[in-house]
Amino acid sequence: MSHSLLAKWQGIQRVVVVGLGVTGLSVVRYLQKLPCELSIKVIDTRAKPPGVESLDASIEVHTGSWQLDWLLESDLIVTNPGIALATPETQQALANNIPVIGDIELFAWAANAPVVAITGSNGKSTVTDLTGVLAKSAGLTVGVGGNIGVPALELLADDVDLYVLELSSFQLETTSSLKLAAAAYLNLSEDHMDRYQGMEDYAEAKQRIFLHADKAIVNRAEPETFPKNDIPVVSFGFDEQDFGLVWLEAQEYLSKQGQPIVAVEDLKLVGRHNIANSLVALALLDSVDVELASVIPALKTYSGLTHRCQLVVDNDGIKWINDSKATNVASTLAALSGLQLTGCLHLLVGGVGKGADFSELAPVLQSLNVQLHCFGQDGDLFVPLHSSALRWETMEQAIKSFHHKLKAGDLVMLSPACASFDQFKNFMDRGDEFTRLAQHYTKFSS
């Protein structure tokens, strides 16, 4: 344990971990590995919390309710990001001057390599994953996680060159000393209003990412993403400033300060939102002195996170896009925004609509060369949205009907705007089935 980390733990003996699951278990495992004598207790208000069976007998556990005495007797509380700081029991501990932190703060105490982090209402998982992939392609040893994939504490290692973290507003609430080489704030839209008092409260939590950042990466189109503190700012957007777009010989390029980096048409990622995501990843890597030319091959081949506008087949100019993660209207609208179409879009929609109003899709569909394929339990709700709409029982029936007619420039996209549990286990199962069908019928057609 380093001297600086040892100093952080000075005087701390009794630690209470609040909330289990993946994050809570990572906290317990981390605490048990520390070379200092700690009494560790766990509270989870669920009767049978996930992961409780993994705890060893040395750890006292209280489930099914709060155990206020444990909180008030502790030296430190490490709380799960899913538990609001406004919870009365947490507030009582804070009123008694007992520190309440999260796993990201513990990570901040221990991390010895540079850290970049990403927050925002939408797109942060893709940016985090892409940044990690590109950094690895440049030869760095990279730890990627946080709110995506691996918990931050499980990334800690002596041989890591760079950490890339996705951070939610919930995680940022309990983080106060995280030093970042660069912090990206992608966008802000209404979310988690059941947790926050309003948009201002939610935005304030996101702003915490800039507390100890050396540089801010912000969205030129959204002033709300700019830091309130005085740190250097690099912006991204769809004009020629900072990280943006330029036209050269009738081609659009991602650029840095007007200098072209890579042609948009060379990217496998689909949609304007993914162009923005690519710009952010480049800006983050540039902030930690990664040579951008070295990551271009990996950027060209990156096809996205599984089930999120993921290119799964590109055959003879016909692209198949798995966006099964689009379980609501807003997600499907984002997927359709700025599609570069030279042929026909075969759009697969439907499933369990959860009472949603799908009428917002109609004007967007009118602007596209689209053939709408509606399937599943609530497929009927999509039929009135476009004159091309065809009704099918299953996704496979739809694909079977058109796969042999596809031509170069056509795009087949599953972006269902619905939940999946009428016909599938979950959205991943639905996306996997789409990918299987794409590969099968592509092979069948060629």
Side-chain angles (χ1 to χ4, degrees), residues 218-223 226 235-244:
V218 298
N219 187 338
R220 283 198 289 281
E222 297 195 30
F226 283 59
S235 66
F236 67 91
F238 294 149
D239 56 28
E240 296 188 8
Q241 301 175 55
D242 275 2
F243 282 83

Side-chain angles (χ1 to χ4, degrees), residues 195-403:
R195 170 111 165 206
Y196 295 104
Q197 294 173 8
M199 281 296 288
E200 193 174 331
D201 193 25
Y202 174 46
E204 198 58 40
K206 293 284 191 192
Q207 278 284 330
R208 292 180 65 83
I209 198 168
F210 296 131
L211 280 178
H212 304 288
D214 292 335
K215 188 173 289 184
I217 313 295
V218 298
N219 187 338
R220 283 198 289 281
E222 297 195 30
E224 302 86 354
T225 65
F226 283 59
K228 300 285 196 315
N229 55 345
D230 186 20
I231 58 174
V233 168
V234 173
S235 66
F236 67 91
F238 294 149
D239 56 28
E240 296 188 8
Q241 301 175 55
D242 275 2
F243 282 83
L245 298 174
V246 295
W247 284 88
L248 191 64
E249 296 177 356
Q251 267 199 306
E252 193 175 32
Y253 284 80
L254 275 65
S255 63
K256 177 189 173 185
Q257 293 170 351
Q259 296 303 307
I261 298 172
V262 62
V264 170
E265 70 172 27
D266 288 343
L267 303 182
K268 282 196 172 183
L269 284 171
V270 174
R272 299 298 278 182
H273 62 300
N274 275 324
I275 292 174
N277 291 339
S278 300
L279 290 168
V280 177
L282 292 172
L284 284 166
L285 294 173
D286 188 62
S287 295
V288 290
D289 299 322
V290 171
E291 179 58 52
L292 296 186
S294 70
V295 305
I296 299 312
L299 180 57
K300 286 181 178 179
T301 57
Y302 183 79
S303 59
L305 281 171
T306 307
H307 312 299
R308 300 181 192 190
C309 279
Q310 178 198 16
L311 179 65
V312 292
V313 172
D314 186 352
N315 185 56
D316 294 331
I318 302 163
K319 294 182 178 180
W320 298 66
I321 306 295
N322 169 19
D323 191 38
S324 185
K325 183 71 165 62
T327 56
N328 56 45
V329 175
S331 297
T332 297
L333 285 169
L336 295 176
S337 172
L339 278 180
Q340 304 294 305
L341 274 177
T342 57
C344 177
L345 169 65
H346 288 266
L347 181 63
L348 296 148
V349 293
V352 181
K354 301 175 289 186
D357 176 8
F358 299 108
S359 60
E360 274 188 87
L361 290 168
V364 178
L365 293 172
Q366 293 304 322
S367 68
L368 297 170
N369 177 15
V370 65
Q371 173 72 66
L372 192 64
H373 299 274
C374 317
F375 70 95
Q377 176 181 301
D378 289 331
D380 288 343
L381 300 177
F382 291 87
V383 173
L385 300 181
H386 197 268
S387 58
S388 72
L390 297 171
R391 180 65 163 101
W392 309 98
E393 188 58 36
T394 67
M395 180 166 59
E396 181 163 18
Q397 284 179 0
I399 292 172
K400 209 170 183 178
S401 74
F402 65 75
H403 73 92

Side-chain angles (χ1 to χ4, degrees), residues 119-125 127 186-189 191 202 277 331:
T119 197
S121 300
N122 299 296
K124 54 187 179 291
S125 294
V127 173
L186 307 182
N187 44 54
L188 181 69
S189 60
D191 204 358
Y202 174 46
N277 291 339
S331 297

